Amino acid sequence: MRNYDVTVIGGGPAGLAAAISACRNGAKTLLIEREARLGGILKQCIHDGFGLVRFGEKLSGPEYAERFIDELQRTDCETRLLTFVTRLQRKNSGFDVTLVSRDGVETVHSKTLVLATGCRERTAKQVSIHGTRPAGVFTAGTAQHFTNLLGELPAKKCVILGSGDIGLIMARRLTLEGAEVIGVYEAKSTPSGLTRNIHQCLHDYHIPLYLSHTVTRVFGVDRLEQVEISKVDETMTPIPGTEQILDCDALILSVGLIPENELAETLGVSLSPATRGPICDGQLMSSEEGIFSCGNALHVNDLVDYVSESGELAGKNAALYRGGKREWVDIHAGKALAYCVPQKLNRKADNHETVLYFRSREVLNDCRLTLTVDGKEVFAKKYRFLRPPEMERLTLDFSSYGIEKDTKIQLEIEVKGND
């Protein structure tokens, strides 16, 4: 049986960064990828805008991935492509990882695991769209795959449901390829994508955005022919009598992403209801010893730069992991916060600067973020506005706050004018 210090599952931007980081920190590393090429979703993201934080320049998805692939090839990391992980078992000295590839079935042993499995898109049935099951209903990622990698135009006249970033980008992409995008329909009262994508993908191409609207039904036998659009109330429930029928040959869904954590669950890793990713500490280690998580498997990021950042941190800590008792202290997120990551601090290890990622629950203006330790404010930062689609990042040195085992850490957002 082959033995490794670190096994990274997933060869997208998080997994690439984790594998490189683990190797740089002296670990014998295995990177497993189920597709034929490394890069994950970046392979089909031919638009620019990647790498602004990390490299200070606009790169396409493949260009961004290529920089990490080139760096990986300069390490001694072993890479397995077209390989699936079918089973994970905990052993006294680590984990047995069962692999299936063209060479057959193999089991390897690893001291630690880094889960960089990314996320998947919600489907039509997961957002309760009724009707028949005709061809022409695509997730935004699938439509992107057809257009950018296969060179096939999936629609001539389409409706896009959801204003997530991939949906916005596909609205522009399909328009450039000659398709008619009737409009982007969003059930929420505010857009779900980055502000820059609202402007660059919709406003610049005169594509209308309809807020508080959703698709309630599809029609068609072999191919989609029509969709039913309805207005929704503040609870996103369709309002009777507001239905309208639109002719189209495709419905593109951009209705949210779900972190892929089925493998994590088989090992008993605790998942956060808010992020649907593993609950972790500042080292990005999960509730299970020796299992680390990063990238979109941990929580859905808005920028790939932060995906890579968390991959580097997880890979480094997996390589340096030597076991030992943990003392977890909760970081409580206030009601105005959708979530914060990490959700815990390990008093035995998180004694240096810790990166916190958070999102607001709703659009807020002129607000103030506060961090309190046992009721005493130790950090504050003002924000002119916060939007749920735009993740925020903070670096805090918790070692200076006197964290004890029973310390209460609270992260809150105060809105100007509120008590």
Side-chain angles (χ1 to χ4, degrees):
M1 182 183 295
R2 297 189 182 187
N3 292 283
Y4 300 91
D5 298 316
V6 178
T7 294
V8 180
I9 303 174
L16 286 167
I20 294 167
S21 181
C23 286
R24 284 177 175 170
N25 284 278
K28 183 180 180 183
T29 305
L30 172 65
L31 175 61
I32 301 167
E33 170 55 48
R34 64 188 177 186
E35 295 187 6
R37 294 172 56 203
L38 297 170
I41 195 67
L42 292 178
K43 297 192 297 291
Q44 65 189 49
C45 298
I46 64 173
H47 53 280
D48 67 10
F50 300 94
L52 284 170
V53 174
R54 188 178 190 88
F55 300 114
E57 57 181 304
K58 291 183 179 180
L59 302 172
S60 68
E63 287 173 329
Y64 185 94
E66 192 66 26
R67 295 200 177 188
F68 286 87
I69 294 170
D70 289 344
E71 184 65 28
L72 182 73
Q73 291 172 347
R74 289 191 286 269
T75 72
D76 57 1
C77 178
E78 184 178 335
T79 303
R80 306 280 190 93
L81 301 177
L82 292 173
T83 300
F84 292 79
V85 175
T86 59
R87 190 179 186 185
L88 296 173
Q89 291 179 287
R90 179 179 285 280
K91 299 295 181 180
N92 290 335
S93 58
F95 305 89
D96 282 353
V97 183
T98 301
L99 310 176
V100 176
S101 67
R102 290 171 293 183
D103 298 325
V105 181
E106 179 187 4
T107 299
V108 300
H109 183 79
S110 183
K111 292 180 182 178
T112 62
L113 300 175
V114 177
L115 304 178
T117 46
C119 55
R120 64 177 181 270
E121 297 175 279
R122 284 190 173 90
T123 66
K125 295 305 178 185
Q126 288 176 299
V127 291
S128 303
I129 297 177
H130 301 288
T132 55
R133 299 186 65 182
V137 179
F138 305 95
T139 64
T142 301
Q144 189 179 59
H145 179 85
F146 271 103
T147 307
N148 294 347
L149 292 185
L150 303 183
E152 300 285 346
L153 188 63
K156 294 181 179 178
K157 184 177 183 180
C158 71
V159 165
I160 295 180
L161 175 62
S163 57
D165 289 308
I166 304 177
L168 299 176
I169 288 164
M170 283 311 298
R172 175 179 63 186
R173 185 78 178 97
L174 291 170
T175 298
L176 289 171
E177 291 297 329
E180 178 187 353
V181 178
I182 299 172
V184 174
Y185 295 82
E186 170 59 59
K188 298 177 183 177
S189 59
T190 56
S192 296
L194 294 172
T195 301
R196 73 183 190 200
N197 285 333
I198 297 291
H199 289 279
Q200 294 174 5
C201 300
L202 298 187
H203 296 171
D204 290 356
Y205 291 86
H206 308 292
I207 299 171
L209 171 63
Y210 300 94
L211 300 175
S212 299
H213 284 74
T214 192
V215 174
T216 47
R217 191 175 298 273
V218 297
F219 304 93
V221 180
D222 296 324
R223 178 79 189 196
L224 182 69
E225 298 173 2
Q226 295 176 320
V227 297
E228 179 186 82
I229 303 289
S230 299
K231 293 182 180 180
V232 299
D233 59 22
E234 61 276 5
T235 65
M236 293 189 285
T237 302
I239 301 172
T242 63
E243 301 88 352
Q244 59 176 314
I245 303 297
L246 300 178
D247 294 331
C248 60
D249 66 357
L251 172 64
I252 311 295
L253 302 171
S254 181
V255 290
L257 302 170
I258 303 172
E260 292 264 20
N261 281 301
E262 286 75 14
L263 285 174
E265 290 182 288
T266 66
L267 288 171
V269 171
S270 298
L271 302 184
S272 163
T275 63
R276 304 187 73 168
I279 294 172
C280 67
D281 58 25
Q283 294 186 307
L284 302 189
M285 184 157 61
S286 72
S287 59
E288 295 297 310
E289 292 281 340
I291 302 175
F292 298 78
S293 180
C294 58
N296 286 343
L298 178 60
H299 66 116
V300 177
N301 291 249
D302 57 350
L303 299 178
V304 71
D305 310 73
Y306 298 140
V307 168
S308 300
E309 180 181 52
S310 67
E312 286 178 332
L313 182 60
K316 174 184 177 180
N317 289 323
L320 299 178
Y321 176 69
R322 298 295 180 267
K325 184 179 179 181
R326 286 191 288 177
E327 286 187 6
W328 266 11
V329 180
D330 290 334
I331 302 176
H332 299 276
K335 292 182 179 179
L337 288 162
Y339 68 81
C340 75
V341 172
Q343 300 90 347
K344 311 275 187 180
L345 283 182
N346 179 13
R347 288 188 60 244
K348 297 291 187 179
D350 296 333
N351 54 1
H352 48 75
E353 290 188 338
T354 299
V355 177
L356 279 181
Y357 303 99
F358 70 91
R359 292 180 192 269
S360 63
R361 192 173 296 279
E362 57 188 31
V363 176
L364 300 173
N365 297 312
D366 295 324
C367 52
R368 183 172 178 265
L369 180 81
T370 63
L371 179 74
T372 59
V373 174
D374 289 332
K376 179 183 178 182
E377 184 178 298
V378 296
F379 175 84
K381 183 177 179 179
K382 293 181 179 179
Y383 291 88
R384 292 190 63 185
F385 60 86
L386 292 173
R387 298 183 62 242
E390 296 170 4
M391 191 181 74
E392 300 293 335
R393 177 188 181 279
L394 284 175
T395 302
L396 299 174
D397 184 359
F398 283 92
S399 65
S400 63
Y401 301 148
I403 307 299
E404 300 294 339
K405 188 175 182 180
D406 57 351
T407 295
K408 182 177 180 180
I409 305 172
Q410 186 79 22
L411 197 65
E412 293 277 5
I413 297 176
E414 301 171 353
V415 180
K416 187 177 181 180
N418 289 0
D419 295 332

